[in-house]
């Protein structure tokens, strides 16, 4: 779509190429994320016009539809969204505005679309959606929209027009369902619901990401004042610049990430990683024990990379159940079967229990595993081993590469595995124990086995290793390249 001309009198819209996929997005959920000023809101407005034209006509020949535009507050709708909406669809020209109802009826050609504006702040406001019969939904600045609102809105879509009105319901002229939800935002915080949804979208969702405002691909800058982003950067924090100009996920204020240099685009593969079937390159399985056993499956490859293929978690599960219900079934899959392996675990696993005088490591060996305790349980040394892997590069790519299926490990790297910070800014000496800590403990034992011999001797007071080198976007070879 190089341009979009509609039947609305006087309207002619030419989208920046970075927004064309969003305008054409045809899945049930279509979300775009980009810098401040990248004309995302305009694209959301024009998409209302585009989608309204597709609805099959009612028996009287009018293409009727109804859309709800949702923002977190009514005030933000009035201050931010409505001025842009009326710029493109002025009352009296493109339709009728009823301020008391916060409703605009868009009319052009054979189209009549009711646009309802709703400020919905939190989960308790879901009741305000329950009576709506909608065709479409639009989320403005969706990072500020509660998850419950997002989910409730989806249940109201595709219900108008009904089959009594046009014989097919909310469908196009060919009878295909066209209900959908779309929205635009600046990047959400790392670790938030929205960051997770955007990073791991379901099959019925499209996520569109615009480039940095300073990138040569920032194709909307022609509509902005000269040096718009350069002037905006002055006096701002790096986190503010990363979010609002570079379109990166923001840092959560809940705590300090243990691994601040972890970059999703640099350390996470674009597709599933395939292990190498070579006796010289065994799988290294890092394991944490206790009643929440966890494991990560790793391998060093001939190019000097360290690949993490999978993770395992548990809750209130002893080591025997963990091995029989989780570890063995995974290792017997076609992906890992026949590859030699070694388990490296918490050194505390050598301690015998009073029940049968066997240690956890003894239990693992009884299943035929080669097992060894990690070289250290010192948290500084463990974290430093992971940091050493993260800091490395091989041919411009991350030396340490994670399979995209390692969801808990990745979320922990981003912000979930963190140091707790109090209201005075004081940070705990050790990472807090939470749902991410067990799998990261397990991963540290594997990292110690791989990187430990290269770690310099350090005192207990030493923090992380000094890291150097630039960062670049990871380009993962095809699956064949890993075998």
């Amino acid at each position: 779509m190089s341009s979009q001309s509609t039947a609305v009198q006087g309207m002619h819209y030419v989208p920046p190429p970075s927004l064309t996929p969003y305008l054409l997005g045809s899945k049930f959920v279509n979300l775009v994320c980009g810098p401040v000023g990248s004309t995302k809101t305009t694209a959301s407005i024009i998409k209302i016009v585009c989608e309204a034209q597709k609805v099959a006509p009612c028996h009287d020949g009018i293409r009727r539809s109804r859309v709800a535009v949702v923002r977190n507050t009514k005030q933000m709708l009035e201050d931010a969204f409505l001025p842009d909406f009326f710029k493109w669809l002025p009352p009296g020209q493109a339709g009728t505005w009823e301020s008391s109802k916060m409703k605009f009826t868009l009319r052009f050609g054979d189209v009549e679309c009711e646009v309802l504006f709703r400020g919905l702040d939190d989960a308790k406001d879901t009741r305000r959606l329950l009576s709506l019969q909608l065709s479409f939904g639009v989320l403005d600045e969706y990072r500020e929209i509660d998850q419950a609102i997002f989910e409730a809105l989806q249940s109201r879509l595709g219900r108008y027009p009904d089959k009594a009105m046009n014989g097919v319901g909310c469908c196009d002229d060919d009878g295909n369902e066209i209900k959908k939800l779309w929205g635009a935002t600046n990047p959400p915080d790392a670790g938030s619901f929205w960051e997770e949804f955007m990073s791991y979208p379901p099959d019925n969702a499209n996520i569109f990401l615009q480039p940095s405002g300073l990138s040569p691909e920032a194709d909307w800058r022609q509509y902005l004042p000269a040096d718009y982003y350069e002037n905006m950067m002055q006096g701002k924090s790096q986190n503010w610049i990363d979010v609002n100009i570079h379109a990166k996920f923001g840092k959560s204020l809940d705590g300090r990430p243990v691994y601040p240099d972890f970059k999703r685009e640099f350390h996470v593969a674009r597709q599933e990683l395939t292990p190498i079937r070579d006796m010289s390159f065994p799988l290294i399985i890092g394991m944490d024990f206790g009643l929440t056993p966890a494991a990560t499956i790793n391998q060093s490859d001939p190019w000097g990379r360290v690949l993490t293929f999978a993770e395992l978690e548990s809750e209130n599960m002893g080591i025997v159940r963990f091995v029989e219900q989780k570890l063995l079934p995974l290792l017997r899959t076609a992906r890992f079967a026949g590859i030699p392996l070694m388990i490296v675990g918490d050194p505390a696993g050598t301690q015998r229990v009073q029940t049968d005088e066997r240690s956890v490591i003894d239990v693992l060996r009884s299943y035929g595993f080669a097992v060894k305790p990690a070289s250290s349980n010192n948290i500084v040394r463990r974290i430093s081993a992971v940091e050493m892997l993260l800091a490395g590069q091989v041919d411009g790519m991350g030396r340490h590469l994670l399979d995209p299926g390692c969801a808990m490990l990745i979320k922990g790297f981003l912000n979930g595995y963190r140091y707790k910070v109090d209201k005075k800014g004081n940070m705990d000496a050790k990472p807090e124990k939470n749902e991410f800590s067990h799998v990261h403990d397990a991963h540290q034992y594997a990292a110690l086995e791989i990187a430990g011999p290269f770690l310099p001797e350090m005192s207990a007071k030493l923090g992380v290793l000094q890291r150097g080198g630039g960062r670049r976007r990871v380009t993962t070879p095809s699956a064949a390249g890993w075998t």
Side-chain angles (χ1 to χ4, degrees), residues 199-435:
S199 301
Y200 303 97
D203 292 339
N204 67 347
N206 270 324
I207 307 298
F208 306 103
L209 304 177
Q210 289 181 284
S212 164
L214 300 180
S215 166
E217 288 77 40
D219 47 30
W220 59 88
R221 291 200 62 164
Q222 58 185 308
Y223 305 114
L224 299 174
D227 298 325
Y228 177 79
Y229 292 114
E230 290 80 0
N231 290 330
M232 192 185 300
M233 293 172 64
Q234 302 303 313
K236 304 297 195 304
S237 69
Q238 187 59 50
N239 186 55
W240 191 97
I241 293 170
D242 285 343
V243 171
N244 293 285
I245 296 178
H246 296 312
K248 296 180 179 180
F249 293 125
K251 294 180 180 178
S252 171
L253 300 179
D254 293 335
R256 177 184 167 187
V258 173
Y259 304 106
D261 281 353
F262 177 84
K263 299 293 185 294
R264 181 191 294 274
E265 66 271 19
F266 187 75
H267 294 111
V268 179
R270 296 296 186 87
Q271 62 188 48
E272 182 180 280
L273 298 175
T274 302
I276 295 169
R277 297 183 176 279
D278 188 317
M279 296 295 290
S280 302
F281 299 95
L283 299 177
I284 305 297
I285 302 177
M287 283 192 66
D288 186 42
F289 305 134
L291 291 178
T292 54
T296 65
I297 316 299
N298 312 271
Q299 187 181 51
S300 294
D301 73 7
W303 300 277
R305 293 173 295 200
V306 178
L307 311 178
T308 299
F309 305 110
E311 62 186 12
L312 291 173
E313 309 162 74
S314 68
E315 187 70 33
N316 295 322
M317 181 178 286
I319 190 63
V320 172
R321 285 180 58 207
F322 181 79
V323 170
E324 294 184 350
Q325 296 181 18
K326 290 183 174 286
L327 184 59
L328 283 176
L330 177 64
L331 295 177
R332 287 168 178 165
T333 62
R335 189 182 187 191
F336 299 113
I339 304 177
L341 62 89
M342 178 175 63
I343 294 176
V344 181
D346 183 349
T350 59
Q351 299 174 2
R352 300 181 185 276
V353 296
Q354 295 180 352
T355 51
D356 62 1
E357 296 187 351
R358 290 195 305 169
S359 69
V360 173
I361 287 181
D362 289 334
V363 172
L364 290 171
R365 286 172 175 162
S366 72
Y367 286 92
F369 292 122
V371 189
K372 65 181 292 188
S375 60
S376 174
N377 206 8
N378 180 279
I379 188 63
V380 174
R381 192 171 180 85
R382 285 158 46 193
I383 290 174
S384 296
V386 178
E387 287 282 355
M388 175 175 278
L389 299 182
L390 292 175
Q393 296 188 34
V394 175
D395 294 333
M397 300 194 307
R399 178 190 177 198
H400 190 19
L401 205 57
L402 278 65
D403 188 282
C406 297
M408 289 297 287
L409 199 59
I410 293 169
K411 285 185 282 187
F413 271 121
L414 288 169
N415 190 65
Y417 185 56
R418 61 201 178 200
Y419 298 106
K420 189 174 182 180
V421 179
D422 64 24
K423 294 181 179 179
K424 296 182 179 180
N426 300 314
M427 186 175 68
D428 286 354
K430 295 181 179 180
E432 66 176 305
K433 291 294 183 181
N434 58 22
E435 66 267 35

Side-chain angles (χ1 to χ4, degrees), residues 62-91:
I62 302 300
R63 299 179 184 271
R64 290 185 171 87
S65 58
R66 185 179 294 136
V67 57
V69 177
V70 175
R71 178 115 193 206
N72 58 319
T73 68
K74 178 183 177 182
Q75 190 66 49
M76 291 305 297
L77 276 171
E78 293 176 336
D79 292 347
F81 192 88
L82 280 174
D84 285 337
F85 184 88
F86 291 147
K87 172 186 173 182
W88 287 97
L89 302 170

Side-chain angles (χ1 to χ4, degrees), residues 1-5 12-15 20 23:
M1 178 189 294
S2 59
S3 67
Q4 176 67 44
S5 223
H12 183 72
Y13 172 69
V14 180
T20 298
L23 276 168

